[in-house]
Amino acid sequence: MSNRAKRCSWCGELASVKLPYARLSLCSNHFLEYIERRVKNTIKRYKLIRPGDRVVLSLSGGKDSLALLHILNSLGDDFELCALGVDLGIKKDEYSARSIEVSERYCRELGVEFLKVDLEKDYGFTIDDVFSSRRIRRPVCSSCGVVKRYVTNRAAVELGADSLATGHNLDDESTVLLSNYLNADIDLLVRSGPVLPSRGERMVSRIKPLYETSEWETSMYVYYRGIQPVEQKCPYALDTPISRMKEIVNLLEERRTGSKIALVRGFAKKIKPILAEHHSALGEIGQCEECGYPTSTSVCSFCRLRKRVLNSK
Ligand code: Q46
Ligand code: ZN
Ligand code: ZN
């Protein structure tokens, strides 16, 4: 904010936030309303939710998914909302236990049904086991991604969900998009965007209602709503090439306001439809020989990972 006190563009009260890309200054109440409207427009623009849908929200206890929980809950009764938390079994700093505790507490406060998947109880291993397994060479976050995608999809299928919502925000999406462009990774590009449709039975479509909402906006949203996300950072979160790419995208936004939105919106509206038409990445997929869930190989990556971890325990 500049030295001269700005006024809210909607009510004239003292403004708390400035949104240069929207040419708006807003007081805290109108900022909260603005973000909720913004997410509602994203849902409409990309047809993410239909009336009567059963939406399962993947909740980590972090600021993005908690903001999304409150925003989706504020949007009315047009669809059914329930939440899903995965206990990954990360013991350091009690990270997993705290994540589940915070997620469960906010669901209880809002009256949203909460379901927990316990990786250790339900599948016999934890992310700590993945980390200490000598049989797995890939970075732990990459295995964790496989695990989270699999268990959330499976739970959503069992819950009869129409879609699985995740808290990926504008910064995550614009960063990954730019990185995939630079690597010319067409397979990943075709799988990006605000919605990844189901490709048959036992696969729930994944939606990203925060596709056009920035990390800074979700931080401000939780702050002004008085929401306290889990304080701990996952002990396995490292400075990765993708976090450096995030800095580049931030620089781009600084030099040219609106770059992030232009990147993701242009991709979803103009580039993805052409790519999808000319690329077979979203073609037929088969069933895993072990678990029966969708995969493009004979045994899915989750079952392969699980077997390796269990064998090295
Ligand atoms: S939980 Fe899993 Fe993240 Fe932790 S191990 Fe990596 S991916 S950092 S969002
Ligand atoms: Zn106002
Ligand atoms: Zn499998």
Side-chain angles (χ1 to χ4, degrees):
M1 301 282 293
S2 69
N3 295 339
R4 234 183 53 220
K6 284 259 184 201
R7 296 274 156 189
C8 172
S9 316
W10 290 0
C11 72
E13 290 290 315
L14 213 57
S16 307
V17 293
K18 194 176 163 190
L19 304 165
Y21 70 91
R23 296 204 180 92
L24 284 175
S25 293
L26 295 171
C27 67
S28 53
N29 281 339
H30 280 128
F31 171 72
L32 294 173
E33 198 184 318
Y34 170 82
I35 293 296
E36 285 160 8
R37 270 200 222 171
R38 193 169 175 77
V39 175
K40 196 175 179 178
N41 287 339
T42 304
I43 291 172
K44 235 189 191 165
R45 174 172 293 121
Y46 300 112
K47 301 186 178 67
L48 302 187
I49 300 174
R50 291 159 306 176
D53 271 0
R54 183 163 167 79
V55 180
V56 172
L57 166 64
S58 176
L59 208 51
S60 68
K63 62 177 171 35
D64 297 312
S65 63
L66 281 181
L68 187 55
L69 170 72
H70 283 74
I71 296 168
L72 289 179
N73 190 55
S74 76
L75 296 184
D77 317 320
D78 211 20
F79 57 89
E80 199 187 326
L81 176 66
C82 75
L84 181 67
V86 184
D87 186 336
L88 295 166
I90 299 173
K91 304 241 164 25
K92 187 158 187 267
D93 302 331
E94 297 187 317
Y95 175 73
S96 289
R98 289 283 302 128
S99 302
I100 292 290
E101 197 183 302
V102 168
S103 303
E104 208 165 12
R105 175 158 56 85
Y106 281 109
C107 284
R108 204 181 320 119
E109 269 179 26
L110 296 176
V112 173
E113 188 191 342
F114 179 78
L115 189 110
K116 182 177 94 170
V117 176
D118 187 319
L119 201 57
E120 177 140 52
K121 269 200 204 127
D122 300 342
Y123 295 97
F125 72 101
T126 65
I127 293 299
D128 283 347
D129 295 332
V130 173
F131 179 71
S132 37
S133 166
R134 271 167 285 119
R135 285 170 178 251
I136 293 159
R137 293 216 179 88
R138 71 205 302 199
V140 65
C141 287
S142 143
S143 300
C144 184
V146 169
V147 167
K148 286 194 287 192
R149 269 192 302 279
Y150 181 89
V151 300
T152 53
N153 176 64
R154 189 166 174 155
V157 168
E158 286 165 4
L159 283 166
D162 294 291
S163 57
L164 178 66
T166 59
H168 293 96
N169 61 40
L170 174 63
D171 295 72
D172 303 324
E173 293 302 305
S174 53
T175 304
V176 169
L177 201 54
L178 189 63
S179 157
N180 291 339
Y181 274 138
L182 292 178
N183 294 327
D185 194 330
I186 312 256
D187 279 6
L188 285 182
L189 280 170
V190 178
R191 291 183 172 89
S192 320
V195 54
L196 182 60
S198 158
R199 288 188 283 154
E201 261 182 69
R202 293 185 155 195
M203 186 191 263
V204 172
S205 74
R206 303 180 87 91
I207 57 168
K208 297 166 188 165
L210 299 179
Y211 191 66
E212 297 193 353
T213 305
S214 73
E215 201 170 295
W216 181 81
E217 286 169 323
T218 57
S219 307
M220 288 295 109
Y221 184 89
V222 294
Y223 175 73
Y224 287 120
R225 268 264 171 266
I227 300 166
Q228 281 169 337
V230 62
E231 287 152 24
Q232 290 84 342
K233 202 177 168 200
C234 174
Y236 300 120
L238 292 169
D239 184 26
T240 57
I242 207 75
S243 47
R244 267 162 267 149
M245 187 64 79
K246 216 169 216 178
E247 285 171 26
I248 296 171
V249 176
N250 282 337
L251 199 66
L252 200 65
E253 180 73 27
E254 226 178 274
R255 299 281 163 90
R256 187 176 173 272
T257 307
S259 289
K260 290 179 188 174
I261 294 268
L263 248 170
V264 301
R265 199 178 279 175
F267 172 76
K269 287 283 182 195
K270 295 184 182 165
I271 297 172
K272 189 173 170 179
I274 299 171
L275 275 182
E277 211 177 289
H278 293 280
H279 194 72
S280 57
L282 292 180
E284 284 291 297
I285 45 166
Q287 278 185 347
C288 170
E289 283 169 9
E290 310 233 328
C291 69
Y293 273 78
T295 176
S296 49
T297 48
S298 52
V299 176
C300 75
S301 41
F302 176 82
C303 285
R304 278 183 277 136
L305 173 78
R306 178 169 177 259
K307 200 182 257 173
R308 260 181 282 143
V309 180
L310 293 182
N311 284 342
S312 66
K313 267 179 95 170

